[in-house]
Amino acid sequence: MPTHTSRPKTRAIVAGVTAVFTGLAAGQLVASFVAPEAAPAVAVGSRLIDLTPTPVKEWAVATLGTWDKPVLIGGVVIVTLAMGALIGLLSLRRPAWRWAGPASLTVIAAAAAAAAPAAGMFAVVPALATGVVGGGVLHWLLRGTPQRVDDDRAPHALPRRAFITGTAVASVSGAVALIAGQYRATTQQPPRAVTLPRPADPLAPLPSGPDVPGLAPWVTPNKDFYRVDTSLIVPSVDVGDWRLSIDGMVDTPFSLGWDQLLALPVFERDITLNCVSNEVGGPYIGGARWLGVRVSDLLAKAGVQPGADMVLSRSTDGYTASTPLQALTDDRDSMIAIGMNGQPLPPEHGFPARLLTPGLYGYVGATKWLTQLTVTTYAKDVAYWTQRGWAPRGPVKPSSRIDTPRGLANLQPGKVMVAGEAWAQNIGVAKVQVRVDGGGWQPTDIGPDGGIDYWRQWTYAWQATSGQHTLECRVIDDKGSNQSEVRAAPFPDGSSGLHSVVVTVG
Ligand SMILES: Nc1nc2c(c(=O)[nH]1)N[C@H]1C(S)=C(S)[C@@H](COP(=O)(O)O)O[C@H]1N2
Ligand SMILES: [Mo]
């Protein structure tokens, strides 16, 4: 068997892709031991999230929903593998690339991991593992490859069979490392079981709402609660290590651990949380019974100094929010939540503790995995989403949604139950109205009242006639503001901002 091959380019591409794949997998496995968020693809993806212009992020959330994160990671991996192919080809022309290629990827991954707001001292270790393993595999597979693409006669030191075996061994080890890393990342350290304290003054159970098929439950089960955050990996926080510090413009800064937090008085509130990025009629809203400690108690203990007008909250993953000081100290009962519907906060919703500010969109008042509250001013500090173009304070705009019938539904003529929710947190819902085909606004039957911070369900018995119809709803809040006026402002395109569904009857 002659030992030369006439396809050095193919070999180089295969070698480069294999090397990068194996290197990424090694980085992922090592990261599962030292710092899951420092896995090269995750670290690079996280920096991309932070750098992505807001409109692109909006688009991604709107079109991909919760798939935005897997799609991003997949994209990073594909681009990196393509870079592997390029490195393989470059290595043919200049052997120096066999070092320089893996080294460049290592530097990118290490820089991305080290730039993470909460990067620890081991953050660059997974990147180094990627570089060493990827570089090693590349060298081995390209041993003695002709150094010029056009030099087809030069023999490969590595016979074809050894090349194929090497590629297979590297790829299989990479796949095993990936699976092992993934397994560790998902099964590792389930949050230490915590026992929630009982509130001195428990709330009575909420009455059951109207029973209409297709209407979302009044209390959103934890597993169905929407999730919106910038974390590619759900931060896993051990209550033994967790601390919350209260600092900034205060007389006596202090910090407390988990047991100290639980020793404070706790209370319950029914609060509806929603995302400013929720499109009209969208799913990024949910209602839950939260258990927590009053933020105003902690701020009073620290002693807020005059001149402050904002609290910058920070999470373990470096995310920040700028909540108006007033919203945290007035009587709306802003809380450090530790319980959600009778359970400890699920990891995706901020375990062990998150901020909740009734009446404000999640991005300004609901920091998850909370670790720090810094009393400061809007003039001095700017939060994560404000740096990206969102308003520094974000009061919720009263709004409503039709859950049933669904848009484009085909219905029978006769009585059709139209049902949905309306919300005006920190104001209260007075009534909900429905109109058909742009006609007069009709009253609806409104469900039980869970307090001004909680959404209300509504139903409307509609006598449907044959044809195509448009249904719209709007809320009138306790201040008398109506949604069509309040929501007109953000929709310069002339749309009403009201949720509408078009259905066909008959
Ligand atoms: N640490 C952290 N907290 C965060 C966010 C985030 O990206 N990181 N996103 C905020 C936004 S935009 C919203 S709408 C709410 C969503 O909370 P949920 O995922 O529990 O529904 O969390 C807020 N808290
Ligand atoms: Mo949000």
Side-chain angles (χ1 to χ4, degrees):
M1 275 284 271
T3 54
H4 80 265
T5 165
S6 55
R7 292 186 213 275
K9 274 192 187 172
T10 311
R11 264 207 193 192
I13 291 176
V14 171
V17 172
T18 307
V20 166
F21 170 71
T22 318
L24 280 180
Q28 155 101 5
L29 180 61
V30 169
S32 75
F33 286 91
V34 299
E37 64 286 350
V42 174
V44 170
S46 301
R47 297 296 76 71
L48 286 178
I49 291 185
D50 293 345
L51 295 174
T52 304
T54 302
V56 179
K57 229 181 289 196
E58 291 281 288
W59 170 87
V61 171
T63 45
L64 303 171
T66 48
W67 284 96
D68 58 344
K69 288 168 187 174
V71 167
L72 174 67
I73 295 274
V76 169
V77 170
I78 289 170
V79 170
T80 314
L81 294 178
M83 285 165 77
L86 186 68
I87 289 171
L89 285 175
L90 290 170
S91 300
L92 270 189
R93 288 186 178 277
R94 291 181 180 277
W97 273 103
R98 294 172 200 189
W99 295 111
S104 330
L105 291 186
T106 307
V107 168
I108 295 173
M121 51 188 202
F122 296 118
V124 301
V125 175
L128 294 178
T130 295
V132 169
V133 172
V137 170
L138 187 66
H139 268 263
W140 197 82
L141 291 179
L142 289 184
R143 266 188 308 162
T145 318
Q147 308 210 336
R148 286 182 35 213
V149 189
D150 50 7
D151 189 357
D152 280 347
R153 283 149 311 155
H156 283 295
L158 202 56
R160 191 181 148 84
R161 183 176 295 238
F163 180 83
I164 292 174
T165 314
T167 306
V169 168
S171 307
V172 171
S173 328
V176 170
L178 260 191
I179 292 167
Q182 196 54 34
Y183 176 78
R184 280 188 50 84
T186 48
T187 55
Q188 198 196 14
Q189 6 159 319
R192 190 189 303 178
V194 298
T195 314
L196 296 178
R198 265 176 222 284
D201 206 357
L203 292 182
L206 284 173
S208 49
D211 184 15
V212 175
L215 175 64
W218 197 27
V219 180
T220 314
N222 290 359
K223 63 172 183 21
D224 299 334
F225 208 94
Y226 81 96
R227 174 184 168 205
V228 170
D229 55 60
T230 59
S231 284
L232 274 177
I233 295 217
V234 177
S236 125
V237 182
D238 184 338
V239 290
D241 304 331
W242 179 85
R243 286 197 83 74
L244 172 65
S245 52
I246 290 92
D247 52 30
M249 297 170 66
V250 293
D251 295 331
T252 0
F254 66 96
S255 76
L256 33 73
W258 180 247
D259 294 335
Q260 290 161 300
L261 184 77
L262 296 201
L264 298 171
V266 291
F267 69 106
E268 288 180 320
R269 277 294 172 274
D270 295 320
I271 299 170
T272 294
L273 179 66
N274 55 322
C275 183
V276 71
S277 306
N278 202 17
E279 58 192 77
V280 173
Y284 299 143
I285 178 163
R289 174 159 295 179
W290 309 87
L291 174 80
V293 168
R294 264 190 195 76
V295 180
S296 56
D297 287 353
L298 295 174
L299 292 177
K301 185 171 173 227
V304 173
Q305 294 174 347
D309 63 3
M310 185 262 270
V311 172
L312 191 77
S313 53
R314 187 178 294 276
S315 70
T316 55
D317 64 348
Y319 173 87
T320 53
S322 57
T323 316
L325 178 62
Q326 163 159 21
L328 297 176
T329 47
D330 66 14
D331 59 6
R332 78 180 72 192
D333 290 331
S334 294
M335 62 158 87
I336 314 279
I338 55 174
M340 181 177 184
N341 292 327
Q343 299 293 318
L345 281 184
E348 305 78 44
H349 298 292
F351 182 87
R354 77 178 302 168
L355 188 62
L356 269 187
T357 317
L360 303 185
Y361 285 115
Y363 82 101
V364 271
T367 302
K368 306 191 269 189
W369 314 290
L370 180 71
T371 59
Q372 193 180 15
L373 294 173
T374 303
V375 179
T376 176
T377 64
Y378 280 104
K380 190 161 147 237
D381 285 304
V382 181
Y384 184 92
W385 281 112
T386 311
Q387 287 161 1
R388 291 162 178 78
W390 286 97
R393 312 152 204 250
V396 172
K397 292 215 192 310
S399 232
S400 56
R401 179 176 86 178
I402 300 172
D403 283 0
T404 182
R406 292 261 174 229
L408 305 182
N410 285 303
L411 308 169
Q412 293 304 311
K415 190 176 127 182
V416 168
M417 284 310 276
V418 184
E421 303 82 19
W423 56 95
Q425 290 98 312
N426 200 39
I427 305 172
V429 171
K431 43 187 165 182
V432 183
Q433 300 171 327
V434 163
R435 71 177 175 188
V436 182
D437 300 327
W441 287 104
Q442 308 291 317
T444 66
D445 293 316
I446 193 152
D449 188 356
I452 60 170
D453 297 319
Y454 207 63
W455 59 359
R456 283 179 88 161
Q457 295 172 308
W458 56 266
T459 59
Y460 175 75
W462 176 42
Q463 284 302 326
T465 53
S466 295
Q468 204 184 57
H469 299 288
T470 302
L471 302 165
E472 280 174 293
C473 63
R474 73 172 184 185
V475 56
I476 315 282
D477 68 29
D478 278 342
K479 284 199 227 145
S481 309
N482 90 54
Q483 183 187 349
S484 20
E485 286 157 15
V486 172
R487 299 226 37 145
F491 297 96
D493 60 349
S495 72
S496 65
L498 299 180
H499 189 207
S500 66
V501 297
V502 177
V503 297
T504 308
V505 180

